[in-house]
Amino acid sequence: MSTLTGEIQFVIAITLLILTFTSFVIIFVFIHQRHYHQYLRNIEDVKNKNQQELLKVQLEMQEQTFRSISQEIHDNIGQILSLVRLHISSIQTEENSASARKVTASKELLDQAIQDLRDLSKRLNTGFVQQQSLAESLRFQLNLIQRTELYETTFAVHGDERPLDAEKKLILFRIAQEALNNIIKHAGAKLISVLLMYLPNEIILSIKDDGQGFDMAALHNPEEPRKGIGTNNMHYRANLIGAAFSLQSKPGEGTLAQLKLPTE
Amino acid sequence: MLSQITIFLDVISPWALLLYFFIKIKKARRRDYIFWFILFQTIINTVSIVYDQYLILNNLYLYHLNCAVSFFILTIYFSSILNFQQSSNILYGLLVIFGIFFFVNIIKWENLESFNSNSYSVASFLIVVYSFLYYLENLLRPATIDIAKSKNFWYVTGLFTYYAGSFYIFLTFKKLTFLNIENLRLVWLTHNVLFLILCIFLARGIICQLLQEKYNL
């Protein structure tokens, strides 16, 4: 009897041993998977950090280039044009003669060129942007567009304006500049509206146009990889300062670009 | 009391699981081989317990049927989830070989009036091998979603635990029945507990299926 009971005990013991082994196998597979997913997450983190660093360096180089060009325009080209104007002013002509009219027209064109160069220099000059508030920089940019008389622009600020970190201000301004340049290049719009909202926990910058709009899916078409690079850059720049950039558009219905920056 | 409940565990567990399946999973049941496995287990175990406990008739031929049909359903299930090259052909080949062995076993060694230790242990062994293949595939080519969110992981883990745990029971059960042991029932109760564990894992897999459908994983 005790031998027979021993048989049953043996069967149960073997069963428990096999169950222990199966538990080890299952736990091993589970742990391996967890480690693998952790490894994938780590790779993704490193990749994102590298991309951010690369973008920071690119932006720094870009700003340095802008500063150099701004300096060159101010110091060299602007000076030369001013001298040309001086020389033209010193030309003696008979009143109401054809030459006098040509001299006057040349002086006006030179004034225009000098003013345009000054504006370009200011737009490129990082220091100029950082010295002003974001609203003032945006207003300046929109005034330049308005002066072309090809667009009607509106600009509104809601809420109490508060000072921003210089780097964040510059990046927000550059994203806005890129969005406005895209409108000028592609939208075929007549009206550009910019709204800057200062909310308790965030700043929202909205740029809307009444242009032809576009198909959002075309931005992510793998057969046309160059399309969408500009918007990707805006996303990356926004990510750099912890902001979120979004684009909404439909063919025939214009485009809305929105930037949300959380603030403490 | 506990031993009384344990006797009926292999009926209560699949019934509870089947009801849960009917209530929660509404679409595409025919494509879920585990549903057919649970349904078949529920029917065959219920009929088997009725034969044994109430009609006091020999129910051992039902175990032959259970073994064959379960192995058939699970082979198709594993061939649908394994992605190794030629795995479907190999599994279907093994199914044919098992089928031949099954009938030869009935004719030569274990007729319908005795417990089919041979075919149960061979079927268990093969299902354990299929489970190892599934785990190996996941180790070599890990999925992008967390394995704990995969219904197949829980289904296979349940089947692996049940068939690996029951292998030695199946292998020795016929021999033990011939020895006329007083507390042989304890061995089959152990099997019933393993069957309950299988049903718990399958239920976990059903919950994952619901979450997959909800979140489109």
Side-chain angles (χ1 to χ4, degrees), chain A residues 21-261:
Chain A
F21 172 71
T22 58
S23 307
F24 279 130
V25 169
I26 293 160
I27 290 167
F28 173 77
V29 170
F30 206 68
I31 291 173
H32 180 271
Q33 279 281 321
R34 283 274 145 102
H35 281 151
Y36 176 74
H37 284 282
Q38 183 61 41
Y39 165 74
L40 285 181
R41 275 195 292 273
N42 289 344
I43 296 257
E44 198 60 35
D45 281 343
V46 167
K47 210 167 115 181
N48 285 340
K49 274 190 186 134
N50 279 348
Q51 265 178 349
Q52 293 236 330
E53 285 301 317
L54 197 62
L55 187 61
K56 261 188 185 160
V57 167
Q58 280 175 340
L59 290 176
E60 243 178 70
M61 278 172 59
Q62 192 179 59
E63 291 305 323
Q64 269 179 12
T65 308
F66 284 167
R67 261 198 292 272
S68 301
I69 295 171
S70 168
Q71 211 64 37
E72 276 299 308
I73 290 169
H74 182 266
D75 293 347
N76 288 334
I77 303 170
Q79 296 271 6
I80 290 167
L81 288 177
S82 298
L83 282 170
V84 170
R85 196 191 185 284
L86 211 58
H87 279 285
I88 289 176
S89 297
S90 66
I91 294 173
Q92 304 253 339
T93 53
E94 280 178 26
E95 226 173 288
N96 294 325
S97 67
S99 306
R101 283 196 293 277
K102 279 188 185 168
V103 165
T104 308
S106 299
K107 281 201 292 196
E108 280 171 9
L109 285 170
L110 272 169
D111 286 339
Q112 182 69 46
I114 291 167
Q115 183 58 45
D116 285 348
L117 276 172
R118 262 199 211 124
D119 292 338
L120 178 62
S121 176
K122 278 183 191 169
R123 281 211 314 267
L124 293 175
N125 190 334
T126 308
F128 176 75
V129 173
Q130 285 175 337
Q131 276 158 23
Q132 299 182 106
S133 69
L134 180 61
E136 282 165 349
S137 302
L138 290 169
R139 203 172 276 120
F140 173 78
Q141 188 70 31
L142 284 170
N143 280 342
L144 292 176
I145 295 172
Q146 180 88 43
R147 286 213 314 249
T148 63
E149 293 178 3
L150 295 171
Y151 302 92
E152 196 188 320
T153 63
T154 65
F155 180 61
V157 180
H158 292 174
D160 298 324
E161 207 171 330
R162 47 184 185 271
L164 261 182
D165 172 61
E167 191 196 355
K168 287 183 181 175
K169 192 169 39 170
L170 182 62
I171 287 178
L172 284 178
F173 178 69
R174 292 291 181 221
I175 294 173
Q177 260 188 330
E178 183 142 3
L180 291 168
N181 283 340
N182 284 341
I183 292 171
I184 292 166
K185 278 193 281 191
H186 306 297
K190 291 273 183 278
L191 172 67
I192 302 173
S193 306
V194 177
L195 173 63
L196 182 58
M197 285 196 287
Y198 287 91
L199 301 175
N201 292 326
E202 62 180 354
I203 297 171
I204 301 177
L205 173 60
S206 305
I207 301 173
K208 190 167 167 32
D209 70 78
D210 65 347
Q212 61 192 3
F214 61 90
D215 181 10
M216 294 286 295
L219 277 181
H220 306 293
N221 185 352
E223 288 174 18
E224 290 188 75
R226 286 208 57 81
K227 265 194 178 175
I229 285 178
T231 47
N232 284 343
N233 280 340
M234 289 195 268
H235 277 289
Y236 288 140
R237 285 189 193 209
N239 282 343
L240 214 51
I241 55 170
F245 175 77
S246 65
L247 210 55
Q248 291 169 47
S249 186
K250 274 185 188 167
E253 292 182 21
T255 304
L256 169 69
Q258 203 171 62
L259 202 55
K260 287 185 186 176
L261 173 68

Side-chain angles (χ1 to χ4, degrees), chain A residues 1 4-5 7-8 10-12 14-15 18-19 21-22 25-26 28-30 32-34 36-37, chain B residues 135 138-139 142-148 153 157 160-161 164-165 168-169 172 181-183 187 194:
Chain A
M1 200 64 114
L4 295 170
T5 308
E7 282 269 0
I8 291 177
F10 185 72
V11 168
I12 294 173
I14 295 288
T15 302
I18 293 172
L19 276 176
F21 172 71
T22 58
V25 169
I26 293 160
F28 173 77
V29 170
F30 206 68
H32 180 271
Q33 279 281 321
R34 283 274 145 102
Y36 176 74
H37 284 282
Chain B
Y135 290 137
N138 268 279
L139 288 173
T144 50
I145 63 163
D146 185 358
I147 202 168
F153 171 74
T157 300
F160 177 57
T161 307
Y168 198 69
I169 294 173
T172 55
I181 303 167
E182 184 186 312
N183 43 6
V187 175
L194 290 169

Side-chain angles (χ1 to χ4, degrees), chain B residues 1-211:
Chain B
M1 172 78 175
L2 193 64
S3 66
Q4 284 298 310
I5 295 169
T6 323
I7 292 168
F8 293 95
L9 262 184
D10 62 348
V11 173
I12 300 167
S13 313
W15 267 111
L17 196 56
L18 195 66
L19 281 168
Y20 185 69
F21 212 113
F22 267 113
I23 293 162
K24 289 289 182 182
I25 310 282
K26 293 196 169 41
K27 295 185 242 183
R29 269 188 223 121
R30 252 180 281 170
R31 284 203 295 270
D32 196 321
Y33 300 109
I34 295 300
F35 165 73
W36 294 109
F37 173 75
I38 297 166
L39 179 65
F40 179 75
Q41 288 291 320
T42 310
I43 295 169
I44 208 80
N45 289 351
T46 308
V47 171
S48 178
I49 208 98
V50 164
Y51 263 63
D52 182 48
Q53 297 285 323
Y54 302 107
L55 302 177
I56 321 291
L57 291 172
N58 190 327
N59 65 354
L60 292 172
Y61 75 95
L62 291 168
Y63 289 95
H64 287 263
L65 183 64
N66 188 353
C67 176
V69 175
S70 297
F71 185 74
F72 175 75
I73 296 171
L74 292 176
T75 301
I76 299 175
Y77 168 67
F78 274 102
S79 74
S80 73
I81 64 169
L82 289 174
N83 294 315
F84 286 118
Q85 234 176 359
Q86 306 291 336
S87 59
S88 291
N89 293 340
I90 293 170
L91 261 63
Y92 289 136
L94 283 171
L95 182 62
V96 169
I97 294 169
F98 176 79
I100 296 167
F101 165 77
F102 182 79
F103 286 110
V104 166
N105 184 53
I106 290 174
I107 294 164
K108 287 197 86 168
W109 300 300
E110 293 168 342
N111 61 32
L112 292 173
E113 287 176 17
S114 66
F115 185 79
N116 50 330
S117 274
N118 292 348
S119 45
Y120 254 118
S121 44
V122 168
S124 302
F125 176 77
L126 288 174
I127 289 166
V128 166
V129 168
Y130 298 162
S131 306
F132 269 121
L133 286 176
Y134 172 82
Y135 290 137
L136 183 65
E137 192 180 68
N138 268 279
L139 288 173
L140 294 175
R141 285 195 291 254
T144 50
I145 63 163
D146 185 358
I147 202 168
K149 292 188 172 81
S150 157
K151 63 172 183 174
N152 286 325
F153 171 74
W154 294 105
Y155 288 165
V156 170
T157 300
L159 292 167
F160 177 57
T161 307
Y162 170 67
Y163 281 103
S166 305
F167 171 75
Y168 198 69
I169 294 173
F170 293 147
L171 191 67
T172 55
F173 198 73
K174 184 184 161 195
K175 181 187 142 193
L176 292 174
T177 55
F178 285 158
L179 294 174
N180 200 21
I181 303 167
E182 184 186 312
N183 43 6
L184 175 65
R185 203 165 264 277
L186 198 59
V187 175
W188 200 252
L189 294 184
T190 308
H191 160 269
N192 287 354
V193 170
L194 290 169
F195 194 81
L196 171 67
I197 295 171
L198 163 66
C199 292
I200 291 169
F201 277 117
L202 295 182
R204 183 67 179 86
I206 292 169
I207 293 169
C208 284
Q209 183 168 345
L210 294 172
L211 291 173

